[in-house]
Amino acid sequence: MIAQKFEYTAPKSLDEALHLLASGAKPLAGGMSLIPMMKLRLAAPEHLVDLRTIKDLNYIREAGGQLHIGATASHYEIESSALLRQKCPLLTETAAAIGDVQVRNMGTIGGSVAHADPAADYPAALQALEAKFVLNGAKSERTVSAADFFVDAFTTTLEPGEILREVIVPIDDARTGTSYQKMVQPASGFAIVGVAVRVRQNARKVSFARIGVTGLSNHAYRATAAEKALEGKTPSANDIQNAAALVAQGVDANSDLHASADYRKHLAAVHAARAIKSAISRIT
Amino acid sequence: MKINLSINGKSYSQDVEPRLLLIHFLREVAGLTGTHMGCETSLCGACTVELNGKAIKSCTMFAVQANGAEIVTVEGLANNGKLDPVQEAFWNEHGLQCGFCTPGMIMASKQILDRNPSPTEEEVRHGLEGNVCRCTGYQHIVNAVKAAAAGAGK
């Protein structure tokens, strides 16, 4: 399987890359989704701009009370980051659940998020974290919330010529517990469903719950009804079951040869319950 | 496009089409056929090589992306005719049946042990998730990785 012919540029700076992207080139990050699509000729960009050669896009750092992750940080760099493990363990846990070792070595957070595969892992965690994405064009910079970024399957608010430059996630205190639970599709490593939970307790009462769900519908979303069902409670096993049952409520669920819509909804509830229990158990 | 890269310590400088996959560069330009093309869809891991110390699937990377990189293939593991400990362990534990997946399995196993010199069985299996053996001889492969870990600790 050979891709159609294309031109390749390895720019040294973001400005150079954005200039090329403004004239119609397509960005290439880890290539873990784009290259298979090009080989199958589902994608045939005429010009690829390699973002991995731009050193300034690869970082994980803390600044202004938040965590900033550059577009080309790989899943492996995220899963093995001591800073993230300590300050945003939901992201390290999610990164470690992606694909396989080789994919995590090459794949990047910016590429994965911008590709917006409905079965990708990060979007669940990023919804639960209420992450922000910094998007840059040749003459623009804007910040979009995860809630607004994902529009549909493989569709985001990125405009032509724009790239996702940075992911920003909050730093939670020790009263917050998180967990990502996924039903893996064993051949591809993608999530049939994946549920990310972030829950804060105050004197054992849930003061705040955020639940992100991926794989179930066209794009990852926040399960707000389930969040509300937990908030204000000291949740019993029953309360957790009841909240988990709400994550798929009213969702137009995907159906394919791996899982029917009804089965996916069932899996979402099961994994939501596991993730809620696990997140609460991790609160110190 | 002209690219320069090092494979198993040897420098290569070659004009290539951007769409040439790294695996094709390794097999057809460099003549190193130890790296196998299996599924061609980045699922099976037979094409695994090390790129700047990280295991990657060479069927899902263009050769131009490896410009300036240091690559190690299965041919680069043995030193002066002496097998690498992972190769030795695959030999001793019979970690292969037909052998097609073996180069990729060995490269992925090296990555496991580079990052974690004494992995548990679960960690070995997690580290091999990107490699498929269609003879389904996984048990002996896992034994080989554990034997390599135990041998290196001696």
Side-chain angles (χ1 to χ4, degrees), chain A residues 1-3 5-6 8 28 31-32 35-36 38-39 41 50 76-77 96 99-102 104-106 187, chain B residues 1 17-19 21 24 40-41 43 48 54-57 59-60 62 64-65 111 115 126-127 130-131:
Chain A
M1 292 187 292
I2 309 291
K5 284 192 180 190
F6 60 90
Y8 170 89
L28 168 69
M32 294 295 98
I35 295 175
M38 288 173 68
K39 287 165 67 181
R41 304 212 172 185
D50 195 341
Y76 173 69
E77 285 162 345
D100 52 52
V101 177
Q102 295 95 322
R104 294 194 294 274
N105 280 340
M106 275 301 281
Chain B
M1 181 182 163
E17 256 195 291
R19 62 177 172 169
L21 294 169
H24 291 137
E40 271 192 82
T41 55
L43 296 174
T48 301
K54 288 180 179 165
I56 58 109
K57 292 179 180 174
C59 81
T60 310
F62 296 115
V64 288
Q65 290 175 277
Q111 179 85 103
R115 290 177 177 172
H126 181 59
N131 293 73

Side-chain angles (χ1 to χ4, degrees), chain A residues 55-249:
Chain A
K55 296 277 177 287
D56 298 348
L57 284 179
N58 189 340
Y59 54 85
I60 299 170
R61 62 181 169 235
E62 182 178 351
Q66 296 178 308
L67 296 161
H68 300 256
I69 303 161
T72 62
S74 71
H75 312 327
Y76 173 69
E77 285 162 345
I78 288 171
E79 87 177 276
S80 61
S81 158
L83 177 69
L84 291 179
R85 187 162 307 254
Q86 192 197 345
K87 303 205 166 173
C88 190
L90 181 56
L91 214 50
T92 51
E93 185 181 17
T94 304
I98 296 172
D100 52 52
V101 177
Q102 295 95 322
V103 167
R104 294 194 294 274
N105 280 340
M106 275 301 281
T108 68
I109 189 167
S112 171
V113 172
H115 183 57
D117 193 302
D121 295 293
Y122 282 131
L126 295 170
Q127 289 281 19
L129 289 163
E130 297 171 283
K132 287 176 279 183
F133 306 133
V134 182
L135 315 182
N136 282 71
K139 286 178 186 144
S140 65
E141 176 168 304
R142 61 192 176 114
T143 303
V144 176
S145 69
D148 293 333
F149 182 77
F150 299 105
V151 176
D152 206 336
F154 306 106
T155 308
T156 69
T157 56
L158 276 167
E159 296 286 341
E162 265 186 332
I163 66 154
L164 191 160
R165 181 178 62 80
E166 182 177 273
V167 173
I168 303 173
V169 293
I171 298 172
D172 289 324
D173 61 22
R175 291 183 175 282
T176 307
T178 58
S179 181
Y180 179 62
Q181 299 292 323
K182 124 191 221 193
M183 175 78 181
V184 67
Q185 203 292 92
S188 70
F190 275 101
I192 290 176
V193 296
V195 183
V197 170
R198 174 171 165 242
V199 51
R200 190 172 194 276
Q201 278 186 324
N202 230 336
R204 306 204 59 233
K205 228 178 219 169
V206 173
S207 57
F208 161 104
R210 293 290 179 268
I211 302 176
V213 183
T214 192
L216 192 61
S217 76
N218 287 348
H219 63 86
Y221 62 91
R222 283 253 314 272
T224 46
E227 293 171 358
K228 286 206 180 76
L230 286 175
E231 284 173 348
K233 290 203 176 79
T234 302
S236 65
N238 243 346
D239 292 333
I240 292 174
Q241 289 302 335
N242 291 339
L246 296 174
V247 295
Q249 201 184 47

Side-chain angles (χ1 to χ4, degrees), chain B residues 81-93:
Chain B
K82 192 179 179 312
L83 292 181
D84 179 272
V86 177
Q87 292 175 304
E88 193 75 43
F90 269 71
W91 175 287
N92 289 336
E93 296 294 327

Side-chain angles (χ1 to χ4, degrees), chain B residues 16 25 34 37 45 48 50 54-57 63 71 89 92 100 102 109 112 115 119 126 134 141 144 148 154:
Chain B
V16 298
F25 186 94
M37 174 75 105
T48 301
E50 205 176 82
K54 288 180 179 165
I56 58 109
K57 292 179 180 174
I71 290 166
N92 289 336
F100 189 85
T102 311
S109 301
I112 296 170
R115 290 177 177 172
H126 181 59
R134 282 300 69 169
I141 293 169
K154 272 178 197 160

